[in-house]
Structures are given as structure tokens and as C-alpha cells.
């Protein structure tokens, strides 16, 4: 559930509300650029527990439901206003006003969906991260997999500067942009207290066709990664691929 899915949904809706298409095209592209990159160099030292973060995630999910309802209601209003305008009962300005409210509601939904995904992925890393650090280290080039995790300790000297190369490979292969959910350190990582400064998260299930292709590319390139599957009993996890070395706790 990432930017591309949201984008295609938005465009689907836009197809039924044609004059909004142009506004949406620019708006969605703008949102993607902003939301896909969440780099922060300031480390807040006030960390919170995974349980607290899960409470925060539950609140975000509730808000998302409310935003989605609001967006759906506003869409109905836009359709009704257009009909009234065609019948000569209201002015063009009233329709434009309703359209603007609809676009603002879509934006809120998009941002909240992104935030839910990012938080879910960070929680997954915080929950499984400690476990990863306790596992026996892999030799250079070593690969291992369990029901929860796939690990690869590639010998390539990875840094975030390599991110564009991976994005290029993915878009050339699949004709869409790589669904990056975190590039470097985000506020969520700071709050959970782990170091994600030199890592990037991709919201792809490691066992999906795209996930497998990306993993294959990373292995061939010697780029270290961790892939999180959906196998934590009793926990809502965010399956994804973490590119870079496993995250350590931030030094306090
Ligand atoms: Zn990560």
C-alpha cells in the first residue's frame, strides 16, 4: 500500500471527476516527492516504546477511516453540485469551492495512509530489529532466511547515495517508481530510538514478484538488506525490504 497504489486510486477517482484530473496530477506528484523522502538529521532523545507507538498507530488508523469517509462524502457533494450547475441552479464558483474541498480531503487521506504505512514499517523494524542483532552475524556474502526474515550481508559498501541507482533499476523494470517509505532517518525512527541514517525502506512484500526481483538485484549487486515478511504472531507487521545494514539503537 504505497504511493503508487494511492496514486492509481486517485487517478481512478479523478477519471470519474474529469476537471479535477489536472489539479490531481500535479498535486499527487508533489505529495509523492514530499512523502517518499523523510530525512531528518536532528535526533530527538525522547524515545518512546513500541507499545506507545502502536497506540499512536491505532489513532492514525482511526483518523484515516474518518478522512476516508469525509472524502467519500465530499465526492458525492461534488457530483451533486455539478448536476445543479448544469441545471443552472448554482454558480460555477460554488462547484469550484466543492472541488477544492474534495481535493483537500484526498490530500489528507493520502498523507495519513502514507503515515500509517511508515509507522507500521518502523514498528516492525523496532520489534524484529533487536532479534536480528541477537542473531549470529552473517559472513560477507552470507544469506539466510526464516519465516519472518530474509538477511543478506553483501560486501558492497552501501550508502544512501546508491538509492537513485536502485530506483532507476526498479522503474526501468516495472514502469513505476520504487515505493520508498523511508530514506534515511525519519522522526518515527528518532522516536523509537534507532539508527536508520544509512538505510532505506521499500514497501514491497519480499515474496511478491516485484519484491523478489528487487532482492535478486540487491544480491547480484552485493548490497546488504533485510527483508521483513508478515510472520510475527499477534502483531500487525509492515512487510517490506530494508536496504542497508541492520539498524542499531541510537547512542543516547
Ligand atoms: Zn529500515
Amino acid at each position: 500500500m504505497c504511493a503508487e497504489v494511492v496514486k492509481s486510486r486517485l487517478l481512478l477517482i479523478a477519471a470519474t471527476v474529469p476537471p479535477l484530473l489536472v489539479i490531481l496530477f500535479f498535486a499527487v506528484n508533489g505529495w509523492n516527492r514530499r512523502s517518499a523522502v523523510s530525512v531528518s538529521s536532528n535526533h530527538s532523545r525522547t524515545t518512546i516504546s513500541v507499545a506507545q507507538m502502536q497506540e499512536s498507530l491505532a489513532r492514525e488508523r482511526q483518523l484515516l477511516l474518518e478522512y476516508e469517509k469525509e472524502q467519500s462524502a465530499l465526492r458525492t457533494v461534488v457530483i451533486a453540485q455539478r448536476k445543479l450547475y448544469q441545471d443552472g441552479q448554482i454558480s460555477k464558483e460554488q462547484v469550484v469551492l466543492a472541488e477544492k474541498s474534495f481535493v483537500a480531503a484526498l490530500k489528507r487521506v493520502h498523507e495519513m495512509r502514507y503515515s500509517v504505512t511508515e509507522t507500521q514499517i518502523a514498528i516492525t523494524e523496532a520489534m524484529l530489529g533487536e532479534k536480528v542483532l541477537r542473531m549470529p552475524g552473517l559472513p560477507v556474502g552470507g544469506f539466510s532466511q526464516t519465516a519472518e526474515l530474509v538477511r543478506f550481508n553483501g560486501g558492497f559498501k552501501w550508502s544512501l547515495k546508491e538509492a537513485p541507482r536502485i530506483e532507476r533499476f526498479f522503474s526501468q523494470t516495472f514502469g513505476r517508481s520504487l515505493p520508498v517509505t523511508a530514506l534515511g532517518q525519519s522522526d518515527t525512527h528518532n522516536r523509537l530510538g534507532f539508527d536508520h541514517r544509512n538505510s532505506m525502506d521499500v514497501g514491497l512484500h519480499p515474496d511478491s514478484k516485484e519484491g523478489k526481483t528487487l532482492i535478486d538485484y540487491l544480491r547480484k549487486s552485493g548490497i546488504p538488506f533485510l527483508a521483513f515478511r508478515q510472520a510475527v504472531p499477534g502483531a500487525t507487521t509492515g512487510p517490506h525490504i530494508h536496504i542497508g545494514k541492520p539498524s542499531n539503537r541510537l547512542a543516547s
Side-chain angles (χ1 to χ4, degrees), residues 208-236:
S208 66
K209 184 172 178 284
E210 292 177 336
K212 281 181 179 166
T213 306
L214 178 63
I215 283 176
D216 202 39
Y217 173 79
L218 295 172
R219 283 189 76 180
K220 280 185 185 142
S221 310
I223 297 172
F225 69 86
L226 276 172
F228 294 80
R229 291 176 159 145
Q230 208 159 13
V232 182
T236 316

Side-chain angles (χ1 to χ4, degrees), residues 1-6 114 117-118 120-122 124-125 148-150 166-182 200-218 225-231 237-243:
M1 190 195 76
C2 279
E4 284 303 312
V5 178
V6 174
Y114 172 77
T117 307
E118 200 245 346
Q120 205 173 21
I121 283 177
T124 304
E125 290 196 4
E148 292 174 350
L149 284 168
V150 184
I166 297 175
E167 288 178 311
R168 210 161 38 243
F169 161 77
F170 189 86
S171 61
Q172 280 167 0
T173 310
F174 293 106
R176 71 176 186 110
S177 41
L178 186 71
V180 175
T181 62
M200 132 188 208
D201 291 334
V202 176
L204 288 176
H205 196 295
D207 298 319
S208 66
K209 184 172 178 284
E210 292 177 336
K212 281 181 179 166
T213 306
L214 178 63
I215 283 176
D216 202 39
Y217 173 79
L218 295 172
F225 69 86
L226 276 172
F228 294 80
R229 291 176 159 145
Q230 208 159 13
T237 57
H240 69 282
I241 299 167
H242 163 103
I243 303 175

Side-chain angles (χ1 to χ4, degrees), residues 87-109:
D87 295 346
Q89 295 184 44
I90 60 167
S91 68
K92 179 79 183 162
E93 286 68 36
Q94 284 171 283
V95 181
V96 171
L97 215 60
E99 286 173 351
K100 277 187 181 161
S101 305
F102 172 69
V103 171
L106 268 183
K107 188 168 183 268
R108 272 195 296 279
V109 167

